[in-house]
Amino acid sequence: MSKFKATPLFDAHKRYTRLPMGMAMLNEYPDSKLFIEALVKDNPDVSQDFLHSQAFLKSYSRKSEATYRSYRNEVERLLLWSWTVANKSIIQLKRPELEAFFDFIHSPPIEWVGESVQDRFKSIGGEWLQNEFWRPFAAKISKEDRKKATAGGLDVKPDTKGHTLSGEAIKICFSAISCFYDYLADEGYAFGNPIPAIRKQSPYLIKGATQKNIKRLSNLQWDYVLSCAEAKANADTNYERMLFVVALIKTLYLRVSELSDRSNWQPIWQHLWQDSDGNHWLKVLGKGNKIRDISVPSALFPYIKRYKAFRTEQNSNFNSNAPLVIKNRGTGGMSSRQLRRIVQEAFDMAYEKMLSESFTDEAKALREATTHWLRHTGASQDIATRPLKHMADDLGHASMGTTDQVYIQSDMKERAKTGKDRDV
């Protein structure tokens, strides 16, 4: 791996929120402290850049871990580029230099690209030292290629040469950096926010009517996922959890985070509730810390009842305050990563079953599926039979326009199907 001359600056959310503010934070990270001290000798404004960035991230760390992580990544890239490539403070950057920054992150040099996502720091001898394998960007390989390599006993590595950010990633970067400069201007540290003007002229944000096809399971793939999970649960009650999770996420269009245990929210059985008219709902905490109630269809009741019965058999003290999904070992709810592993196991079982029954192409496509595909699958199947407003509310979309754009306008499969038989 090529030599990278900078160090990471801000740790993961869990540690970051517990650290002292100010330059004292760097006492926990000797490599980063030495890096910044060396830069300050040539440019004293670097320390103020760091402190204002730290305060900005501290503010957004209160909102959610996902928001902190997204903003941390983009701000950290800007700081490292500004200090080590442009050799300037972030408040000294003019429009041409910021345009150069976006050119840089669109196609970063090989020494800035890692072979995998890595933790920024490692605990060594009681100190949090820089992880030598961490880079501001990480190349990726497809799930299909990774699984093939693993099955063949090969150690596959992604190609870090020619790494480019997608249009969606660039869009996220523009949004985060613009928000950052708004904050700096409000604090009186920067004179204004030049990012909106740069964004308007950016060649990397391409607009058009063509929509990306929604990544979802086909009806056949979903049938196999559900039937395999159900068969496994029938044979071994320890798999009742898997059946419950895949059915719940798909049917209620859940984001995996909405089912996971978080510092400010724990899904419990009491969140499955019934109103005075006999309608059933699930209360979740969604994006932007917004609570919403999702309608629960009757078809989901059998899956809820059988998992609830399993939980009652396992623990005589089970009650409405118990976590909605629980670890098989240990106590408490489950993290997003643990939930993804459960869903992935269901996908893997369906993949093997489909291969054995000669659905080769469908099986191969399933290898690329992620947990989020279940949300898209449920919504895509229901969008034709439910009012758009109801779908938007259950999905947690602030606007029906988002639901329309994602699940109607971009449904390329249906669009192609209706277009095949046109006459000339």
Side-chain angles (χ1 to χ4, degrees):
M1 183 176 286
S2 302
K3 183 68 174 177
F4 181 60
K5 297 179 180 179
T7 69
L9 302 174
F10 305 107
D11 208 343
H13 181 267
K14 187 174 182 179
R15 276 190 52 79
Y16 183 82
T17 54
R18 298 175 181 176
L19 292 170
M21 293 294 287
M23 301 304 286
M25 178 183 286
L26 294 174
N27 293 334
E28 301 280 336
Y29 305 96
D31 290 336
S32 299
K33 183 177 182 179
L34 289 173
F35 170 66
I36 289 181
E37 286 177 346
L39 291 169
V40 168
K41 291 178 181 178
D42 295 324
N43 189 344
D45 287 335
V46 165
S47 61
Q48 287 300 312
D49 286 355
F50 175 79
L51 292 174
H52 280 86
S53 302
Q54 179 194 63
F56 170 75
L57 293 175
K58 188 73 172 180
S59 174
Y60 278 89
S61 70
R62 297 166 61 87
K63 190 171 185 180
S64 73
E65 180 178 352
T67 301
Y68 165 79
R69 185 168 56 245
S70 178
Y71 282 19
R72 184 267 312 262
N73 293 347
E74 307 306 337
V75 169
E76 191 172 58
R77 289 169 180 170
L78 174 64
L79 292 174
L80 296 181
W81 179 87
S82 182
W83 296 343
T84 66
V85 178
N87 297 313
K88 290 185 176 182
S89 160
I90 53 174
I91 60 170
Q92 296 171 332
L93 299 175
K94 305 300 182 185
R95 177 167 175 165
E97 291 155 334
L98 284 166
E99 288 174 341
F101 165 70
F102 287 106
D103 291 339
F104 180 91
I105 65 165
H106 177 258
S107 302
I110 188 172
E111 60 267 21
W112 280 60
V113 183
E115 295 176 350
S116 62
V117 176
Q118 296 277 340
D119 291 334
R120 284 162 166 72
F121 303 96
K122 288 188 174 182
S123 179
I124 301 175
E127 293 183 313
W128 288 94
L129 302 179
Q130 176 186 3
N131 179 359
E132 62 178 319
F133 297 108
W134 175 83
R135 296 292 184 272
F137 302 88
K140 296 180 181 179
I141 59 173
S142 68
K143 287 179 67 176
E144 172 70 8
D145 290 342
R146 188 181 298 278
K147 285 183 176 290
K148 282 182 179 178
T150 302
L154 302 175
D155 182 20
V156 62
K157 293 183 179 180
D159 185 7
T160 57
K161 295 180 181 178
H163 177 76
T164 59
L165 291 192
S166 66
E168 190 63 30
I170 289 288
K171 187 185 298 183
I172 291 171
C173 182
F174 268 110
S175 297
I177 299 302
S178 182
C179 185
F180 180 48
Y181 270 96
D182 277 339
Y183 173 86
L184 296 179
D186 289 343
E187 293 295 309
Y189 187 59
F191 291 109
N193 180 7
I195 304 302
I198 296 172
R199 177 175 180 152
K200 284 183 180 179
Q201 304 301 324
S202 173
Y204 308 119
L205 299 177
I206 301 173
K207 298 178 182 179
T210 301
Q211 300 288 331
K212 183 173 68 173
N213 191 23
I214 281 295
K215 293 181 177 180
R216 73 184 199 203
L217 303 182
S218 68
N219 291 340
L220 180 66
Q221 289 168 334
W222 167 242
D223 287 344
Y224 268 85
V225 169
L226 185 62
S227 62
C228 285
E230 193 159 5
K232 196 71 174 178
N234 290 338
D236 184 348
T237 56
N238 286 322
Y239 285 88
E240 289 290 346
R241 182 180 63 179
M242 173 192 287
L243 177 60
F244 177 70
V245 167
V246 296
L248 198 71
I249 292 177
K250 184 265 184 185
T251 309
L252 301 188
Y253 329 135
L254 295 177
R255 302 177 181 94
V256 69
S257 61
E258 293 169 346
L259 195 55
S260 67
D261 203 2
R262 287 164 283 172
S263 59
N264 60 340
W265 184 265
Q266 183 185 52
I268 58 177
W269 280 91
Q270 194 175 50
H271 293 156
L272 275 167
W273 63 282
Q274 184 177 3
D275 64 23
S276 58
D277 294 322
N279 302 308
H280 290 78
W281 306 87
L282 175 65
K283 190 180 298 294
V284 300
L285 181 68
K287 274 188 174 181
N289 285 334
K290 295 179 181 177
I291 292 177
R292 74 180 189 279
D293 291 301
I294 305 171
S295 60
V296 178
S298 302
L300 191 61
F301 292 172
Y303 300 96
I304 296 173
K305 289 178 180 177
R306 65 183 289 170
Y307 184 57
K308 194 171 186 178
F310 167 74
R311 292 282 297 278
T312 303
E313 289 176 5
Q314 295 293 307
N315 184 359
S316 58
N317 294 322
F318 173 80
N319 57 56
S320 61
N321 290 317
L324 194 58
V325 184
I326 199 170
K327 303 180 180 77
N328 283 344
R329 297 177 183 176
T331 59
M334 304 193 73
S335 68
S336 293
R337 181 177 294 181
Q338 291 168 329
L339 290 166
R340 288 190 184 98
R341 286 174 180 165
I342 291 173
V343 174
Q344 186 59 54
E345 186 177 359
F347 286 169
D348 290 343
M349 291 191 304
Y351 167 80
E352 296 295 340
K353 182 73 170 174
M354 294 180 83
L355 273 186
S356 69
E357 297 182 1
S358 300
F359 290 107
T360 307
D361 291 340
E362 291 271 6
K364 286 182 177 179
L366 184 59
R367 294 295 284 268
E368 292 295 324
T370 67
T371 303
H372 201 63
W373 285 32
L374 291 178
R375 170 177 161 90
H376 289 323
T377 301
S380 297
Q381 289 179 353
D382 293 348
I383 195 72
T385 58
R386 298 189 65 197
L388 190 61
K389 178 66 167 66
H390 297 177
M391 289 294 300
D393 288 344
D394 278 351
L395 282 159
H397 290 161
S399 165
M400 286 190 292
T402 302
T403 312
D404 176 72
Q405 182 183 35
V406 173
Y407 294 107
I408 296 180
Q409 293 182 16
S410 63
D411 196 343
M412 304 293 280
K413 290 182 180 179
E414 290 300 318
R415 183 174 161 192
K417 183 178 178 180
T418 61
K420 282 181 179 179
D421 298 326
R422 288 178 294 176
D423 293 330
V424 175

